[in-house]
């Protein structure tokens, strides 16, 4: 990269804001996947204006720009696909700018860590529901760029449901403001919705205006054991059909439970095909109680062996500890794992689980299944040892079959992780050529020089 | 229009499907506004394929295409802006194609009347919440094209929150399918969201896959009287801050109540500045009751003079009859009315009402205020007599001041009606030049010949 460009970046973001040593660059070459790509330079702007100046310069010099939050992504969306380019990291843009208690909104810079934002608004009795697993380290900007989900999204909706407005730096360095505090807004195209989940390919999100709700004061959580996974899946549908919308309806299959139990010794049942974690919440204690009881009754009616409602906050957090410990538990079980993020119509869950098991048996590698059953969003995790070539070589064909299964059952590639690099090969298969062509036209219209996160989503 | 084109349209849609007499064309030259524009021909396709063939032909011959449902729009979005062009009416595409009770979805053609769809899914214990006032005659396709709202959208969200997928005929006649039954889907750009509220300018929606929820079994409705409108507005915020989300939180100002009372003699209080209609609903009777009681208590605490909860279904429907009769009541009060659709951050409601009153006083024409207070979405209606030139001449400057007020208070032009023709002059003022330019680029990318609903949204 020319010195002139480095000088300009330093002028824009300050000496602290430009990283170039191999050690520093290495830190920004990873995300939550196996992929890797070393940027030529990392810039850490502190304002929208600095971000705009960086993009303007990059655009003039035709240098790729890769936006990055905390790099916790699971689709290789925030790392350079080819080495080179400018990684724009938003970690220094981590200020909460306004909490408006009258309108229940928060305005924050893109680099605010989601859990920090949640904690801050909760001090005001407000609540930002989306809760991706990465909540303690991922950023609001990254969550929006991928339209992140989480267990609580069954009742509350995904990140995109909370984005009222954005400030976005466009490919030519101009600054676009979308939306505003009004809840309803149909003035023009839904640009807020278009930039949400665009994975840094249409613009760089520097600031977000988010809708908040009242903090639920009560929550009740139950662990439900099902001898048959098909029954567990029927229970999910039966609960929702009754008009009960739990905050969370999480499924863990036998393998997932066994992994957690092996690692944590929490006393979970390892002899059942499935467990559900059901949580109801709200502002009225009686209602929350009534709903968890009704959900428990429905589970019993659909064949649950045991419904155990946590009686104390300690028991409750124990259940969530179990749920959250799946990923670390898997790490103890095998050196490597590859977690997918398929979604299917929720009626297809029993069938998809059966087919995933068949794929596991065919290739002889464990596939652990857990996820947000109420949304039909499952995370099949393939366990393997990358050092063993015969195992590593199975992973790609297994992934292909997993995606094929999801698509065959009316599902899709990703419920909350995004396409990034890893799902590119399946993108057109999932959406069809017309959809991909329409998306390419939008990309071309907003980023004609293809400098924003090139090589993501679309095959080049 | 060349005979060749008429012949082709007849070949595609059949003799019954092509209308050309002046009487027939006149029927399709209006919507719910003052605007008027006579099409050259009206075509009524029965399938997506026919629609695609029509658009392909129109595209080849550079003939404008104006999509139309039942013509109940309130922004002149579905009538030819200049006389001429092909109006594609979806009234013959009125079939419900599938109700999936397992996944709580319905697939319907664009021309299904929204109330018909609701009635049909309710037979299965399911519920399609969006309830625009036009529900008994407007269509699903039109609702989606405008992202229609309604009183129930406070709790349940607007039309767009229920659209899982679309079939869209693009400007060149190709057919695009977006989305699917999975609730969560982040595979690629949010095209479903982009076509929703695009007002027929990016494609013709021929079919929709909609998400349903369980039908609420219980509802409680209260009429609350406030001597001070500011107190009514504070009550709205206080209820939501408590974590209670009523299905509806509707505001009617003194003038609105007086108009209804004059026309209907329902015994409404005409000596208060404002009334709220509050409705709670859900699957659990106790909860619904508890919530209406809590909401009533909060209203009392914030200065309500009277909280009257309907004790019977008859009383309840009486309240909604009052709410729904505002528009016809206004018609008795003055020969003409112009209803706007501004939204503001809900904390700004007292201020916006005060300013609307000042505008009314300044011009000497009544401005009736009612709307969805919980969403900050108000419908100020100017009453006048178009035949009196001095009144008619005041309308445009009043509208300009109303929009100016909404924008000055952080609001926008439209919460549920759309931009169409009527709000075009204020579009750039509301969104800024960068936003409008980005939207123009998207329009240009997807409709390079500008044949889809030309002259809408954007100034030419």
């Amino acid at each position: 990269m020319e010195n002139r460009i480095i000088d300009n970046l330093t002028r824009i973001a300050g000496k602290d804001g430009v990283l170039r040593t191999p050690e520093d660059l290495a830190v920004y070459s990873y995300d939550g996947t196996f992929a890797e790509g070393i940027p030529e330079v990392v810039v850490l702007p502190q304002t929208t204006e600095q971000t705009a100046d960086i993009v303007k310069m990059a655009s003039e010099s035709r240098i790729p720009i890769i936006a990055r939050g905390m790099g916790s992504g699971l689709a290789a969306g925030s790392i350079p696909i080819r080495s080179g380019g400018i990684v724009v990291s938003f970690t220094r843009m981590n200020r909460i700018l306004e909490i408006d208690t009258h309108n229940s909104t928060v305005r924050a810079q893109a680099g605010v860590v989601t859990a920090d934002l949640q904690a801050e608004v909760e001090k005001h009795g407000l609540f930002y529901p989306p809760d991706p697993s990465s909540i303690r380290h991922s950023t609001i900007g990254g969550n929006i760029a991928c339209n992140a989900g989480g267990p609580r999204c069954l009742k509350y909706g995904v990140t995109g449901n909370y984005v009222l407005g954005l400030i976005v730096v466009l490919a030519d360095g101009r600054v676009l403001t979308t939306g505003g505090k009004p809840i309803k807004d149909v003035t023009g195209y839904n640009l807020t919705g278009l930039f949400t989940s665009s994975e840094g390919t249409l613009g760089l999100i520097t600031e977000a205006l988010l809708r908040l709700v009242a903090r639920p004061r009560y929550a009740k959580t139950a662990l439900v054991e099902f001898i048959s996974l098909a029954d567990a899946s029927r229970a999910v549908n039966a609960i929702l059909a009754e008009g009960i919308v739990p905050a969370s309806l999480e499924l863990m299959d036998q393998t997932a439970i066994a992994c957690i139990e092996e690692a944590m010794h929490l006393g979970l049942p390892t002899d059942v095909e499935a467990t559900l974690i059901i949580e109801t919440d709200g502002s009225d204690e009686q209602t929350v109680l009534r709903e968890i009881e009704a959900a428990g009754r429905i589970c019993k009616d659909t064949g649950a062996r045991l419904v155990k409602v946590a009686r104390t906050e300690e028991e409750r957090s124990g259940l969530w500890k179990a749920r959250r410990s799946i990923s670390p538990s898997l790490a103890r079980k095998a050196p490597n794992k590859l977690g997918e993020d398929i979604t299917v119509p929720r009626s297809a869950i029993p069938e998809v689980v059966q087919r995933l098991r068949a794929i596991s048996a065919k290739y002889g590698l464990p596939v652990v299944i857990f996820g947000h059953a109420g949304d039909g969003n499952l995370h099949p995790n393939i366990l393997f040892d990358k050092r063993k070539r015969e195992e590593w070589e199975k992973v790609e064909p297994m992934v292909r079959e997993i995606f094929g299964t999801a698509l065959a059952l009316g599902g899709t590639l990703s419920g909350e992780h995004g396409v990034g690099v890893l799902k590119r090969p399946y993108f057109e298969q999932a959406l069809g050529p017309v959809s991909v062509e329409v998306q390419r036209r939008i990309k071309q219209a907003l980023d004609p020089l293809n400098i924003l996160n090139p090589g993501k989503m679309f095959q080049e």
Side-chain angles (χ1 to χ4, degrees), chain A:
Chain A
M1 195 167 278
E2 299 167 48
N3 283 333
R4 180 183 60 87
I5 292 188
I6 301 296
D7 291 347
N8 275 333
L9 291 176
T10 309
R11 190 182 43 75
I12 295 165
K15 221 167 145 55
D16 305 352
V18 180
L19 306 179
R20 292 187 73 199
T21 68
E23 297 72 27
D24 282 338
L25 296 181
V27 173
Y28 293 85
S29 67
Y30 291 95
D31 70 350
T33 68
F34 292 108
E36 194 182 338
I38 296 173
E40 220 166 326
V41 60
V42 175
V43 193
L44 300 101
Q46 290 179 296
T47 63
T48 297
E49 292 65 35
Q50 288 180 8
T51 311
D53 287 344
I54 294 164
V55 174
K56 205 168 288 169
M57 202 199 63
S59 167
E60 282 160 11
S61 305
R62 310 284 194 271
I63 303 169
I65 289 271
I66 302 101
R68 181 183 176 95
M70 285 292 276
S72 60
L74 293 168
S78 66
I79 55 175
I81 180 152
R82 291 173 297 271
S83 291
I86 301 172
V87 161
V88 177
S89 164
F90 287 101
T91 46
R92 294 207 300 178
M93 286 183 65
N94 60 354
R95 278 182 306 133
I96 294 174
L97 302 168
E98 183 201 43
I99 296 175
D100 177 344
T101 55
H102 295 295
N103 292 300
S104 302
T105 61
V106 58
R107 212 155 53 81
Q109 288 185 314
V112 174
V113 169
T114 306
D116 293 347
L117 180 128
Q118 278 186 340
E120 216 37 51
V121 304
E122 286 184 21
K123 289 180 191 164
H124 299 266
L126 293 165
F127 188 53
Y128 176 71
D131 58 343
S133 299
S134 58
I135 191 162
R136 283 173 208 287
H137 44 112
S138 65
T139 63
I140 286 293
N143 287 183
I144 296 170
C146 297
N147 198 5
R152 230 158 21 206
C153 296
L154 172 61
K155 174 172 177 176
Y156 290 99
V158 293
T159 300
N161 295 113
Y162 292 86
V163 185
L164 286 173
L166 295 172
I167 296 182
V168 180
V169 173
L170 299 171
D172 56 7
R174 284 181 308 162
V175 176
L176 167 70
T177 302
T178 74
K181 286 186 182 175
I183 302 297
K184 289 163 77 178
D185 180 359
V186 295
T187 311
Y189 299 149
N190 181 3
L191 296 182
T192 307
L194 180 63
F195 284 96
T196 301
S197 90
S198 68
E199 304 188 26
T201 64
L202 298 180
L204 276 66
I205 296 164
T206 59
E207 203 180 299
L209 177 71
L210 302 169
R211 185 171 69 87
L212 304 170
V213 296
R215 186 157 66 90
R217 296 209 197 103
Y218 305 95
K220 280 286 175 189
T221 311
L223 183 76
V224 187
E225 304 177 8
F226 285 92
I227 293 180
S228 142
L229 196 142
D231 287 348
S233 179
R234 283 199 306 128
V236 168
N237 284 318
I239 291 166
L240 296 170
E242 269 301 293
I244 301 165
V245 184
S248 305
L249 251 175
E250 294 288 300
L251 175 83
M252 298 186 285
D253 80 345
Q254 195 158 19
T255 322
I257 303 162
C259 283
I260 299 169
E261 199 45 31
E262 210 176 303
M264 319 261 306
H265 311 290
L266 295 166
L268 297 174
T270 54
D271 62 335
V272 289
E273 277 195 358
T275 62
L276 293 179
I277 294 179
I278 306 176
E279 180 162 293
T280 62
D281 73 359
S283 61
D284 180 274
E285 193 170 14
Q286 295 287 325
T287 307
V288 173
L289 200 61
R290 194 187 295 277
E291 286 189 341
I292 199 78
E293 282 166 0
R297 249 190 331 271
I298 294 165
C299 286
K300 281 285 199 184
D301 291 347
T302 45
R305 183 176 79 174
L306 185 72
V307 178
K308 212 169 125 188
V309 179
R311 279 156 308 175
T312 62
E313 184 52 35
E314 203 186 341
E315 276 184 31
R316 183 179 160 253
S317 67
L319 290 177
W320 283 111
K321 194 175 161 196
R323 169 63 183 84
R324 275 194 303 268
S325 66
I326 294 181
S327 277
S329 300
L330 299 184
R332 286 171 56 108
K333 190 88 177 169
N336 303 103
K337 65 180 166 69
L338 190 128
E340 276 313 334
D341 175 41
I342 55 172
T343 69
V344 292
R346 61 172 189 258
S347 67
I349 288 177
E351 179 65 23
V352 81
V353 169
Q354 203 176 310
R355 295 199 195 183
L356 290 170
R357 284 173 171 175
I359 294 168
S360 171
K362 176 176 163 188
Y363 288 93
L365 286 180
V367 175
V368 182
I369 304 167
F370 60 94
H372 320 302
D375 290 317
N377 182 200
L378 296 180
H379 298 307
N381 270 250
I382 306 169
L383 303 187
F384 59 97
D385 185 341
K386 203 179 169 184
R387 294 161 305 187
K388 295 184 186 162
R389 202 176 134 184
E390 71 282 9
E391 292 199 2
W392 177 232
E393 281 176 347
K394 288 173 180 174
V395 173
E396 201 198 305
M398 285 180 80
V399 167
R400 198 182 309 127
E401 289 203 31
I402 289 172
F403 287 141
T405 298
L407 297 178
L409 295 172
T412 190
L413 307 179
S414 180
E416 51 187 29
H417 296 172
V419 176
V421 176
L422 302 189
K423 287 163 204 152
R424 277 189 323 172
Y426 313 97
F427 192 53
E428 185 158 328
Q429 187 193 350
L431 300 181
V434 177
S435 174
V436 173
E437 200 268 342
V438 165
Q439 294 183 60
R440 278 187 190 276
R441 282 199 198 189
I442 293 169
K443 167 72 172 169
Q444 166 73 22
L446 298 190
D447 180 19
L449 304 174
N450 192 27
I451 66 153
L452 296 180
N453 218 1
K456 307 300 162 64
M457 285 174 55
F458 306 103
Q459 296 276 26
E460 285 185 304

